[in-house]
Amino acid sequence: MRVSRLLLVTLRDDPAEAEIASHKLLIRAGYIRRVASGIYAYLPLLWRVLQKISAIVREEMDGSGALETLLPQLQPAELWQRSGRWAGYTAGEGIMFHLCDRQGRELGLGPTHEEVITSLAADLLRSYRQLPVNLYQIQTKFRDEIRPRFGLMRGREFIMKDAYSFHGSEECLRQTYAAMDGVYRRIFQRCGLRVVAVEADSGAIGGSASQEFMVTAEAGEDLILTSSDGLYAANQERAVSLAPPAVPLPGGMRLSGAGEPLATPDATTIEQLAAGHGFDPTQVVKVLLLLARFEDGLRQAVVISLRGDQQLNEVKLVNALTARLGAAHGTLLSIEPLSTDLARELRQKEGIEIDPAALPLGYLGPDLEEGALVDRRGLAEPAQGMARGSGARLATTVLRLTDATAAALTAFVCGANRPGHHRVGVSWEGLGLTPDVVDLRACQAGDRCLHDPSQTLSAVRGIEVGHIFQLGRKYAEALEARYTSESGQEETLWMGCYGIGVSRLAQAAIEQNHDNAGLNWPVAIAPFEAIVVSASAQDPQQVSLAESAYDRLRQAGIDALLDDRDERAGVKFKDADLIGIPWRLVVGRGAARGEVEVVFRADGHRRDLPLDQALEVLISAITASRSGLGDSA
Ligand code: ATP
Ligand code: MG
């Protein structure tokens, strides 16, 4: 390919729309253009990168025995209703784009394909003889992300490889899951990425075990916690650890379990309470008041107690609420602090009356009275005046959940449930409560590890490029995907699913491989492996040597680019560095002697060599590093 024909449009300045380096560089170097929020055109240079990543993914997936397929992106609501995910994906904070066709039938644009594939499995898979089977596709996915950002990192339309495996037993599922773990490690290594595998939350997909693959990078949206011995690594969403020990309250403050009142005006936060009254945050139980909305209309007030130095892990909370109430009340649509704004919205849209002004916010105790927070008529029926058909109603009791760090305190400080007051020396018995203990805390760097308390966790940021799940039988049960076992029994299929964010991976590779001059692609996924540049487009000797070098590289099967533009050498070098071509062959004044310069982009190493030798060096280095098992000059 000749640069003059490449439609190369580079920008000198950073675009205002981009915050992180990889996003800025993708735009500046002419790889992408934004069409709308979270929606990008993949320009020819990026398309080559995506094709190379896809080729590696295909080779490894095919090599594992998986079959490539292509499933529809338009998916009928009915399938998602059968799996119970339609409401969760379309209402509340749901991320599925959905629409009605001309017959008034509802459809969704595929954010993922468990429903479609499982209904196909129900149709196609009949006998144990067909199992196991693993089907994959590489395709555009649609997700109406709440916060699309960072370019291809979190798009609303993006390319994913997704695979779904079906099995006759859990043991067989585990084997394929382990095989996919190996396949994923090879794919990422071949793409030239530094990746860590971490224990992950299974999220809205569901299922039991799951593992994410994280590209370590400062710009990552995820926090990864790892132990120093390397035996434990988890996404913070999922991580477990030992919290730092609490500082006991002085003996004199531990006498009465009901607690002594303490006037604490203007101490509505843990920091103010600590600063103003000398308590250590670990001596305090802080209380959060939240409202959870469920699919069937249930509005549930939730009182959370955490030790004062701890933070709430929202993913753990969502899982706990779903486990307790999901079966009876459907999908958890949202969980939010019970603020004045939320109360207003509840009154206007759902006819539910909660007056937060009447609540002692900032001074809540774990024993907060439920009077104002429940349906006092105890009817659990739709409140009067609410929107017809929404069925919204307040629960008849408050749900109180206590993190283990708070439950373990024997004497603590907490709000007195009246403005301006706390209580000191409180115990759970003194409050008349038996804590309902749930792990709700967010682990932090510095926490001690569960597997070995002499180890501590450290934190790094990561970009999730892949996620593998053991789904179990959740979807197969819902969509009645069964097979006949060897003994002639009808049995439900076991299932796994395995995703890679192909477009996100391309950008993550840049986040890990760039410098001030531009991108610095790993050879295996670079749009072109080498670029031939003649210093002067006016010098016929240079031009003809460059042409011949270019031809010979292509004949050797190298993805080569020839900068044939009539530009200054400096401009051409800058562009080559900006778009990040790994190898550069410069034809300059040495052309008269048949000599050229070979430059390796990653470390700037350069050598003057006779053309034949230069080509040899280039071709053998590129061929060796195509495997992604280490680029070197
Ligand atoms: P995240 O936690 O980042 O929202 P997810 O858990 O929803 O991702 P999966 O459903 O596991 O993602 O999708 C498989 C892969 O697709 C992810 O590992 C990620 O690499 C990629 N991916 C997910 N959402 C997006 C997006 N909005 N834009 C680009 N890639 C994405
Ligand atoms: Mg995920």
Side-chain angles (χ1 to χ4, degrees):
M1 175 64 71
R2 289 165 189 271
V3 174
S4 61
R5 309 305 313 147
L6 192 58
L7 194 70
L8 181 64
V9 181
T10 58
L11 307 177
R12 193 158 348 124
D13 298 316
D14 281 338
E17 68 185 83
E19 291 168 65
I20 60 173
S22 54
H23 186 195
K24 289 177 187 166
L25 287 170
L26 278 174
I27 297 171
R28 276 188 55 206
Y31 281 80
I32 58 170
R33 281 293 183 272
R34 178 180 177 277
V35 174
S37 165
I39 302 175
Y40 291 87
Y42 309 141
L43 301 182
L45 274 179
L46 184 76
W47 187 239
R48 294 181 70 95
V49 173
L50 295 175
Q51 299 285 13
K52 291 203 175 174
I53 298 169
S54 301
I56 293 173
V57 169
R58 279 199 177 90
E59 262 179 56
E60 294 294 338
M61 290 301 292
D62 293 347
S64 77
L67 295 166
E68 185 166 2
T69 183
L70 190 60
L71 303 171
Q73 286 159 315
L74 274 173
Q75 308 184 2
E78 190 253 334
L79 284 179
W80 287 72
Q81 280 150 357
R82 285 176 66 197
S83 71
R85 291 207 296 179
W86 179 255
Y89 269 80
T90 57
E93 297 191 338
I95 51 153
M96 180 149 64
F97 289 102
H98 51 109
L99 58 134
C100 265
D101 68 11
R102 64 177 74 241
Q103 269 99 28
R105 283 185 294 241
E106 282 188 297
L107 298 160
L109 272 176
T112 179
H113 279 75
E114 284 80 13
E115 281 76 1
V116 170
I117 195 92
T118 312
S119 77
L120 277 171
D123 175 10
L124 299 172
L125 300 177
R126 295 286 161 81
S127 154
Y128 71 92
R129 285 191 206 89
Q130 296 167 292
L131 301 175
V133 60
N134 191 2
L135 291 158
Y136 79 95
Q137 58 175 347
I138 299 178
Q139 182 199 55
T140 297
K141 293 280 187 277
F142 299 90
R143 293 186 182 181
D144 197 359
E145 296 279 358
I146 295 162
R147 239 172 280 109
R149 57 179 194 160
F150 298 158
L152 306 181
M153 292 286 190
R154 187 166 297 285
R156 295 198 299 161
E157 180 180 321
F158 59 96
I159 299 179
M160 195 201 285
K161 185 286 297 181
D162 46 333
Y164 307 87
S165 66
F166 295 91
H167 312 266
S169 70
E170 189 172 19
E171 177 48 32
C172 180
L173 162 60
R174 288 217 186 96
Q175 281 166 14
T176 299
Y177 180 80
M180 281 297 119
D181 174 49
V183 165
Y184 271 44
R185 287 172 200 264
R186 273 198 303 282
I187 290 173
F188 299 131
Q189 192 185 11
R190 286 185 59 185
C191 290
L193 297 172
R194 294 182 298 284
V195 166
V196 260
V198 303
E199 282 181 21
D201 179 70
S202 294
I205 303 276
S208 51
S210 97
Q211 183 174 277
E212 287 167 341
F213 295 85
M214 297 282 184
V215 168
T216 47
E218 246 337 281
E221 289 186 283
D222 287 275
L223 194 73
I224 307 167
L225 294 164
T226 53
S227 65
S228 24
D229 63 5
L231 292 179
Y232 184 76
N235 190 319
Q236 191 192 30
E237 291 178 352
R238 154 93 189 191
V240 286
S241 66
L242 293 168
V247 177
L249 270 184
M253 293 186 182
R254 303 166 65 97
L255 299 173
S256 145
E260 294 295 326
L262 176 70
T264 51
D266 306 321
T268 57
T269 65
I270 299 291
E271 294 72 35
Q272 288 162 345
L273 192 62
H277 300 272
F279 295 117
D280 187 89
T282 64
Q283 298 169 329
V284 182
V285 167
K286 73 173 166 193
V287 172
L288 311 175
L289 178 60
L290 308 172
L291 189 91
R293 296 198 239 200
F294 283 86
E295 184 182 348
D296 76 340
L298 182 76
R299 303 295 178 253
Q300 174 70 59
V302 185
V303 171
I304 309 261
S305 299
L306 279 167
R307 204 173 74 187
D309 62 318
Q310 298 298 309
Q311 304 301 323
L312 176 68
N313 178 328
E314 285 181 30
V315 173
K316 290 182 180 176
L317 175 62
V318 166
N319 290 344
L321 292 174
T322 303
R324 278 155 194 256
L325 297 166
H329 301 286
T331 308
L332 173 60
L333 299 179
S334 65
I335 170 104
E336 295 163 85
L338 199 43
S339 64
T340 316
D341 282 352
L342 178 61
R344 190 179 312 121
E345 193 189 318
L346 286 170
R347 183 171 347 103
Q348 284 169 358
K349 295 198 182 147
E350 305 190 337
I352 287 177
E353 293 287 345
I354 296 177
D355 181 8
L359 295 166
L361 295 179
Y363 296 93
L364 301 177
D367 54 341
L368 176 68
E369 276 193 30
E370 52 182 30
L373 299 168
V374 295
D375 185 342
R376 263 158 298 171
R377 297 162 309 159
L379 298 175
E381 266 179 11
Q384 277 181 355
M386 55 162 224
R388 293 280 149 244
S390 78
R393 64 192 187 281
L394 263 180
T396 54
T397 56
V398 162
L399 180 63
R400 293 175 208 272
L401 301 176
T402 303
D403 181 64
T405 52
L409 297 177
T410 50
F412 52 86
V413 177
C414 66
N417 293 321
R418 60 184 167 118
H421 290 82
H422 280 81
R423 287 167 287 179
V424 181
V426 181
S427 71
W428 292 100
E429 307 83 74
L431 293 178
L433 293 175
T434 308
D436 183 349
V437 182
V438 185
D439 174 25
L440 293 173
R441 61 180 283 269
C443 296
Q444 305 290 353
D447 286 353
R448 290 161 301 151
C449 299
L450 283 181
H451 75 276
D452 175 0
S454 73
Q455 306 271 329
T456 53
L457 292 176
S458 40
V460 275
R461 300 212 71 86
I463 302 163
E464 179 194 325
V465 288
H467 198 165
I468 59 176
F469 301 77
Q470 290 179 32
L471 290 175
R473 298 203 273 195
K474 170 179 161 174
Y475 293 93
E477 260 157 21
L479 293 148
E480 298 173 45
R482 291 191 274 267
Y483 74 104
T484 308
S485 73
E486 205 166 351
S487 58
Q489 304 286 83
E490 276 269 286
E491 285 188 29
T492 303
L493 287 161
W494 292 85
M495 200 175 155
C497 82
Y498 318 92
I500 290 182
V502 172
S503 45
R504 182 186 283 185
L505 188 159
Q507 189 172 333
I510 302 171
E511 207 48 53
Q512 264 187 352
N513 301 286
H514 70 271
D515 57 23
N516 288 335
L519 288 71
N520 178 9
W521 289 110
V523 172
I525 61 172
F528 293 94
E529 295 161 322
I531 182 166
V532 179
V533 183
S534 57
S536 158
Q538 307 297 336
D539 179 332
Q541 209 171 8
Q542 285 187 24
V543 170
S544 90
L545 199 64
E547 288 279 351
S548 105
Y550 171 60
D551 284 342
R552 288 172 62 186
L553 283 172
R554 288 198 311 154
Q555 276 155 24
I558 302 294
D559 256 342
L561 198 54
L562 173 69
D563 198 342
D564 59 340
R565 295 174 301 170
D566 188 7
E567 291 279 1
R568 283 182 295 114
V571 170
K572 296 196 257 193
F573 296 161
K574 264 212 167 95
D575 278 346
D577 280 350
L578 178 62
I579 61 179
I581 309 304
W583 290 93
R584 187 164 87 208
L585 194 149
V586 184
V587 184
R589 275 195 285 272
R593 302 186 303 278
E595 260 190 15
V596 297
E597 184 189 41
V598 174
V599 187
F600 187 50
R601 169 78 179 85
D603 60 7
H605 184 80
R606 49 188 73 215
R607 268 179 282 184
D608 287 316
L609 295 169
L611 180 63
D612 284 352
Q613 217 177 317
L615 291 174
E616 216 169 279
V617 164
L618 247 167
I619 292 163
S620 69
I622 288 172
T623 330
S625 55
R626 270 185 192 151
S627 67
L629 305 176
D631 302 343
S632 69

